[in-house]
Amino acid sequence: MRRRLPLVMAGWLVTGALATGAGVAVITFLGEPLTASAHRPLSSAEVTAALARTTPSASRPAAVPSPAATPPETPLPSGDPARTGASTPAPPPGGPSTGRSRVIGTEGGSTIARCDDGLVTLRAWSPAQGFRVDDVDRGPAARVRVEFESDETDVKIEVWCSADGSPVHRLHD
């Protein structure tokens, strides 16, 4: 009986070492495909390229500001709009329109504004991390606004349509 105990213990140690080695080898070979680029966020240029490939040119808006002309954007979160404080209103009935849209990014959050027939509408808005939506006047109206607030600061965005039909904004801190 005393001779078997060291053999049983050695067997358990060898079995444990083999199982650990096999597990590490499997994770090494399968880990790369599981955690590779499919799970990394896309850059702004990659998003633009992907949208250009999937959007037919006939349905693209007439004026989309270039990335260099727009301020840094805060990504709109995915998920439940009620939980995130975001709102994504449904498109207006009657089919596509010929208006112009613009993404407005601030430290307090992002909004998408659209001008149609001289009236501006906030199409979507999303607070940045640490901010919440305090007040929204989404339009359509001559002027619309959204206010993002945090414990330290408030950021108010007021939007109206310019003479050429593009959304123009002013920030109020």
Side-chain angles (χ1 to χ4, degrees):
M1 186 78 161
R2 290 184 183 212
R3 245 191 247 174
R4 284 191 203 173
L5 185 60
L7 289 174
V8 169
M9 289 177 58
W12 276 105
L13 288 173
V14 168
T15 303
L18 288 173
T20 302
V24 168
V26 167
I27 289 173
T28 299
F29 290 118
L30 294 181
E32 179 64 26
L34 295 176
T35 61
S37 64
H39 297 288
R40 69 173 176 77
L42 298 176
S43 70
S44 201
E46 291 170 321
V47 169
T48 303
L51 287 172
R53 285 192 307 266
T54 60
T55 306
S57 60
S59 67
R60 283 192 196 136
V64 176
S66 69
T70 59
E73 297 177 15
T74 302
L76 297 174
S78 59
D80 181 15
R83 183 178 56 77
T84 61
S87 176
T88 52
S97 66
T98 59
R100 294 183 181 184
S101 295
R102 179 168 179 215
V103 176
I104 302 167
T106 69
E107 70 169 314
S110 297
T111 186
I112 300 174
R114 181 172 183 86
C115 287
D116 281 311
D117 300 322
L119 298 177
V120 64
T121 304
L122 293 181
R123 306 285 295 177
W125 51 91
S126 176
Q129 187 170 354
F131 285 81
R132 60 193 166 276
V133 176
D134 181 44
D135 193 18
V136 177
D137 178 13
R138 66 172 285 213
R143 290 183 180 258
V144 295
R145 63 184 167 78
V146 61
E147 181 178 351
F148 301 113
E149 71 176 6
S150 72
D151 294 336
E152 294 85 29
T153 186
D154 289 355
V155 177
K156 298 173 188 170
I157 305 170
E158 184 178 11
V159 186
W160 63 94
C161 296
S162 67
D164 71 349
S166 298
V168 178
H169 75 281
R170 179 174 56 200
L171 298 178
H172 305 277
D173 290 331

